Amino acid sequence: MHNKKIFIWLILICWVLTRNFSIAQDNRNEMNVMPENGSMFIGVDYYPEHWPEERWKTDLQMMKEAGFNVVRLSEFAWVLFEPSEGNYEFAWLDDFLKLLPQYDIKVILGTPTAVMPAWVARKYPETLATMENGQQIVWGSRKNNCFSSGTYRLLSERITRAMAEHYKDHPSVIGWQTDNEFAGPVCYCNTCRNTFQDWVRERYITLDSLNSAWGTHFWGHKIQTWGEIQIPKCNGEGRWGASGNPGACLDWMRFNSWLNVRFQHDQVQIIRDVCPQSHFITHNLMSFHPEVSYFDLGKDLDFVSWDNYPVWNKPDLSYEPAMAADLMRGIKQKNFLIMEQTAGPSGWGNFFRNPRPGEIRKICYQQLAHGADGQIWFRWRTCTAGREQYWHGLLGHDGRALRRYKEASQVATEYRNLEKYLTGTTVKADVGILYDYTSIWSLTGQPGFVENIYVQALRRYYQAFYRAGINVDLINPEADFSRYKLLVASDQIVLPDQLAGKLNDYVRQGGVLLADCRTGVKNETNLAWERTLPGKLSASLGIEIQEYEAVTPDFNYKVYSNRLFEDTVTAIHYIDWAIPVSAESMAAFDQWHLKNFSPVTRNKYGNGTGWYVGMIAAEETFYDSLIENLLKDAGIETYINLPVGIEASLREGNGKRLLFLINHTEEEQTVILPEIKKELISDKKTGKSIVLGVFGVAVFEL
Ligand code: GAL
Ligand code: ZN
């Protein structure tokens, strides 16, 4: 009997492992966040299992009074749905769902696979991930599982199917969140190694092509049978830190991303098979988290959602959530949902500051301004138990409707009034910044110079656009470039020929391109190109870089320019010794040995212009003047003069143009307006300027 069971399991596991995996796009039309004939989703992440049943009605009544119409539920409730293998219990949630119609609240269900029940770990210990030091994770946190484990995949498929079958016709259920915050754990078990070997084999087909792709002639690392492939060491400090082959490391990161995408795909297929077409599928992303390619993960989703927790230390200018939103919108080039957002002081062991009056509201408006079409706070009420006792919700432990709750309910009321204007609008940017996972992964463990952090490189430009009031899309290098007047390809260390060709074409056809330090060093398997930098992009950039160097604080260089900025700026971290060939030099170094090299160049190429910045400036003003020049070249006009700390963003579409202004400071600020308009939240006409109070916001139809 026992043997028979093992045999059946083995067959099932083999079947799972050998199934051909591809991201099949079905014929179904993707859904948008904003329901066509309904109201925008506004609500909270709720855990009925955390509170006595007697409290449920009170909570729902308070949600209704706040103007909420949606809750996300159940993403950690696997053990309640399936207390022992194959025995499903839905009654507890059904009882809660029964209450919802009378409060007009809909439900997004989470597939609960981010936390495995204890019985899974106990019965199938191979489902637990192994850390890099070879130790297996001890069950008891979240994200404990190995994504290569056939058993885990099967169990996840079974619970997903059981939930889908049970809830497919429930009138309150409108959509699904897969798992929770995909990323890791990166698992180093033997199954992962074997799966990696299979994946590599499928990618390279022959050992010869693998060996040349990875450059295994170095250190005598030739691979003679597929079984010799190991999980490379890609992280860590010191002599034996990141000592693995860079090609193997890049593929290991691609592989790990793929494992997550495949895992989600299994669930998506089931939900699409079982549930009505009207159910959407989404996932809650984590902005710049580097482990999983969100472009790949997003292909299976109707729209993306994300989790925004901007309140940590002192109030700041809030570049980060804006930039994150612009990436989240860029994943599918459409509007997104906020699935979790700061509702109070956050932290596990320690918590940080409390959002100040007005801050919860302005955090929401910032996301709305960048394309959020729905707003869900994490969480409803602060939990009295578990690791997140200090991760505060709209309500405190006491469950009373106090200040944070009232602020959220103010947002809900205002959003409802704005809905008619918002429908059909999104951000339509003229500026695109490339966001490239391959370069991010290539730089991991091999940044070239210590401070070379991909997202940090993007931030320098992004923040200057933000200060200029210019909207930006963060886009996939595979996206269509023709809709942009200006493209930034920053820290593009991996530059496949195809992308170089696409960028050159873009400039030739009239685009303005900005590239910078370390562009074009490597090919797609992480080998250095046998080319003088910036490789194939020399065509549109009109420069040649024969040498370069890391710059340490003891010998920072000064850069001056009479064309770009006044005074001098400081070049830090890294410089290229770039020689203008057809490009004109826009700035100069002040050192004798760098006289022939240019830190900033501009090149006319075809109908467009290629800029290159072979330095990193310590001063923001450098980026402000650079961006000003780039915008001029691209024919993009700035339309507003913003005081420091005021953010502007436009949503357009359906014949409407909405201007959002957000005061991120704790002082009153006056903004001069392009023309006198009606402010939509207050429904009042402005003068030629508007005064925004502390954390104040305003929305205008232009
Ligand atoms: C998110 C997660 C939530 C909750 C929150 C606070 O990352 O999705 O489940 O844990 O953080 O820690
Ligand atoms: Zn594993």
Side-chain angles (χ1 to χ4, degrees):
M1 186 59 208
H2 192 63
N3 278 347
K4 198 167 152 207
K5 199 170 161 201
I6 292 179
F7 180 72
I8 291 172
W9 263 108
L10 274 176
I11 302 258
L12 278 171
I13 289 169
C14 291
W15 175 72
V16 166
L17 289 176
T18 53
R19 265 177 320 163
N20 239 348
F21 166 71
S22 66
I23 301 170
Q25 290 289 303
D26 46 32
N27 295 325
R28 180 180 163 278
N29 282 335
E30 270 181 7
M31 293 169 66
N32 289 323
V33 193
M34 187 93 84
E36 257 163 46
N37 301 313
S39 323
M40 179 173 191
F41 303 135
I42 304 175
V44 283
D45 300 305
Y46 186 62
Y47 300 90
E49 68 274 30
H50 291 184
W51 309 102
E53 259 187 78
E54 307 80 69
R55 171 75 193 193
W56 290 351
K57 284 189 177 166
T58 312
D59 282 339
L60 288 169
Q61 182 59 33
M62 285 166 76
M63 288 179 204
K64 189 180 160 79
E65 279 165 18
F68 297 171
N69 64 349
V70 73
V71 284
R72 182 202 59 187
L73 306 174
S74 83
E75 79 281 12
F76 301 123
W78 189 348
V79 73
L80 299 180
F81 288 134
E82 192 181 1
S84 63
E85 190 172 350
N87 298 314
Y88 300 106
E89 282 181 16
F90 294 107
W92 67 276
L93 192 64
D94 294 350
D95 287 346
F96 176 72
L97 293 193
K98 255 183 238 146
L99 303 175
L100 296 185
Q102 73 193 87
Y103 299 92
D104 296 322
I105 290 181
K106 300 284 187 204
V107 171
I108 301 170
L109 283 177
T111 62
T113 42
V115 177
M116 65 169 81
W119 64 257
V120 172
R122 201 154 169 226
K123 197 163 172 188
Y124 305 108
E126 74 277 17
T127 58
L128 287 166
T130 300
M131 294 179 283
E132 194 166 5
N133 64 9
Q135 250 183 19
Q136 211 177 14
I137 286 182
V138 176
W139 177 87
S141 177
R142 326 190 266 199
K143 294 278 166 197
N144 287 161
N145 66 286
C146 159
F147 281 110
S148 299
S149 159
T151 310
Y152 198 73
R153 288 179 67 198
L154 260 182
L155 293 169
S156 136
E157 289 179 21
R158 292 200 322 207
I159 183 64
T160 303
R161 186 173 293 282
M163 281 181 75
E165 293 284 359
H166 189 81
Y167 289 112
K168 63 176 193 262
D169 298 320
H170 198 289
S172 301
V173 175
I174 51 169
W176 297 79
Q177 171 190 299
T178 54
D179 203 270
N180 191 71
E181 295 187 337
F182 275 118
V186 176
C187 174
Y188 295 82
C189 77
N190 288 339
T191 310
C192 280
R193 191 194 54 206
N194 296 343
T195 314
F196 180 51
Q197 290 168 352
D198 291 346
W199 181 92
V200 170
R201 187 176 186 161
E202 223 167 89
R203 190 174 175 89
Y204 294 101
I205 320 275
T206 70
L207 285 166
D208 279 350
S209 74
L210 169 70
N211 281 305
S212 58
W214 283 3
T216 56
H217 45 281
F218 181 76
W219 278 354
H221 280 169
K222 184 171 178 181
I223 303 285
Q224 291 175 294
T225 70
W226 298 103
E228 287 170 2
I229 296 169
Q230 297 293 334
I231 296 175
K233 266 197 85 50
C234 307
N235 301 302
E237 298 296 319
R239 192 163 172 215
W240 305 118
S243 54
N245 176 296
C249 283
L250 179 53
D251 276 336
W252 170 244
M253 288 180 237
R254 284 187 174 119
F255 165 75
N256 271 290
S257 171
W258 173 84
L259 278 182
N260 283 268
V261 174
R262 179 180 70 166
F263 186 81
Q264 173 179 266
H265 183 75
D266 294 341
Q267 295 193 351
V268 167
Q269 268 194 323
I270 292 167
I271 299 169
R272 297 244 190 265
D273 271 2
V274 175
C275 295
Q277 296 222 344
S278 58
H279 283 196
F280 60 77
I281 303 182
T282 187
H283 178 74
N284 53 340
L285 309 179
M286 294 183 282
S287 59
F288 305 114
H289 199 90
E291 261 170 44
V292 180
S293 160
Y294 286 159
F295 295 118
D296 292 343
L297 199 73
K299 283 186 189 140
D300 263 334
L301 304 173
D302 287 298
F303 52 81
V304 305
S305 304
W306 85 283
D307 298 346
N308 181 28
Y309 291 103
V311 180
W312 294 103
N313 301 312
K314 66 177 191 0
D316 59 21
L317 288 193
S318 234
Y319 294 118
E320 209 60 6
M323 181 166 156
D326 290 340
L327 174 62
M328 298 298 98
R329 197 184 62 252
I331 299 303
K332 291 185 75 73
Q333 298 201 298
K334 68 198 270 193
N335 289 353
F336 55 88
L337 173 69
I338 296 292
M339 190 63 92
E340 298 183 12
Q341 189 153 275
T342 300
S346 308
W348 282 12
N350 302 307
F351 50 83
F352 293 84
R353 73 178 176 85
N354 199 9
R356 297 177 188 176
E359 204 172 2
I360 287 181
R361 175 171 174 261
K362 76 97 179 162
I363 289 169
C364 296
Y365 272 94
Q366 182 182 38
Q367 292 302 309
L368 187 72
H370 286 264
D373 267 352
Q375 169 59 46
I376 296 178
W377 285 276
F378 185 88
R379 49 189 284 147
W380 170 243
R381 180 171 170 188
T382 316
C383 197
T384 55
R387 256 301 122 190
E388 293 185 355
Q389 279 166 320
Y390 298 150
W391 203 290
H392 294 76
L394 289 177
L395 313 189
H397 290 129
D398 61 8
R400 294 176 57 205
L402 302 178
R403 191 220 10 136
R404 298 196 300 260
Y405 163 86
K406 287 185 186 138
E407 199 167 314
S409 108
Q410 181 192 347
V411 172
T413 313
E414 291 173 357
Y415 273 25
R416 287 277 171 258
N417 293 333
L418 290 175
E419 232 163 31
K420 54 181 179 291
Y421 301 102
L422 294 166
T423 316
T425 64
T426 186
V427 174
K428 293 194 173 146
D430 289 325
V431 181
I433 298 183
L434 266 54
Y435 191 81
D436 180 32
Y437 284 97
T438 312
S439 288
I440 293 172
W441 296 333
S442 167
L443 291 167
T444 310
Q446 246 192 335
F449 57 98
V450 188
E451 302 82 357
N452 193 10
I453 300 162
Y454 184 86
V455 179
Q456 188 55 25
L458 268 53
R459 281 184 187 118
R460 294 184 194 108
Y461 307 106
Y462 182 88
Q463 297 183 356
F465 286 115
Y466 175 113
R467 289 189 291 270
I470 295 295
N471 279 113
V472 171
D473 282 353
L474 268 67
I475 56 166
N476 191 339
E478 285 170 20
D480 174 13
F481 294 165
S482 66
R483 61 197 262 188
Y484 300 102
K485 295 182 181 160
L486 170 55
L487 273 189
V488 177
S490 177
D491 224 349
Q492 191 66 49
I493 188 149
V494 177
L495 187 67
D497 280 348
Q498 201 256 344
L499 178 58
K502 196 173 156 189
L503 289 168
N504 283 333
D505 288 347
Y506 168 77
V507 180
R508 194 180 310 112
Q509 286 155 15
V512 176
L513 170 70
L514 172 79
D516 66 3
C517 310
R518 310 307 292 143
T519 292
V521 177
K522 299 195 180 192
N523 72 6
E524 55 268 68
T525 66
N526 227 0
L527 293 176
W529 284 114
E530 297 176 32
R531 290 171 185 166
T532 306
L533 294 176
K536 290 221 159 154
L537 269 196
S538 285
S540 53
L541 299 174
I543 53 163
E544 193 175 285
I545 299 160
Q546 298 169 358
E547 297 183 66
Y548 45 79
E549 63 176 325
V551 177
T552 50
D554 46 317
F555 66 97
N556 284 337
Y557 297 125
K558 287 284 174 206
V559 171
Y560 61 92
S561 164
N562 45 26
R563 312 181 63 175
L564 287 178
F565 46 85
E566 286 160 18
D567 303 329
T568 57
V569 298
T570 322
I572 52 173
H573 305 332
Y574 172 93
I575 59 164
D576 282 305
W577 293 17
I579 304 164
V581 180
S582 57
E584 49 177 334
S585 175
M586 303 297 286
F589 293 107
D590 73 347
Q591 266 79 15
W592 65 273
H593 68 291
L594 299 173
K595 286 280 179 261
N596 294 331
F597 309 114
S598 177
V600 185
T601 58
R602 175 174 179 266
N603 186 48
K604 292 306 265 174
Y605 179 68
N607 297 324
T609 314
W611 286 75
Y612 188 83
V613 177
M615 61 172 282
I616 294 162
E619 296 84 358
E620 278 181 353
T621 49
F622 170 82
Y623 295 98
D624 288 335
S625 19
L626 181 76
I627 293 312
E628 198 185 311
N629 279 271
L630 285 161
L631 291 172
K632 226 178 275 163
D633 270 355
I636 302 171
E637 294 196 9
T638 49
Y639 60 92
I640 196 160
N641 228 328
L642 295 169
V644 176
I646 301 293
E647 182 181 355
S649 181
L650 287 171
R651 277 179 73 140
E652 301 171 61
N654 242 348
K656 283 169 285 186
R657 285 184 86 210
L658 305 179
L659 167 65
F660 289 73
L661 292 178
I662 300 157
N663 180 4
H664 291 291
T665 73
E666 291 176 278
E667 280 152 36
E668 217 175 73
Q669 303 266 7
T670 305
V671 188
I672 312 290
L673 296 172
E675 43 190 314
I676 299 173
K677 283 282 167 194
K678 194 172 76 174
E679 199 283 318
L680 303 177
I681 306 173
S682 60
D683 206 26
K684 288 201 183 107
K685 278 222 165 191
T686 63
K688 288 193 176 144
S689 64
I690 186 165
V691 178
L692 295 171
V694 175
F695 295 139
V697 299
V699 187
F700 307 91
E701 190 171 357
L702 296 185

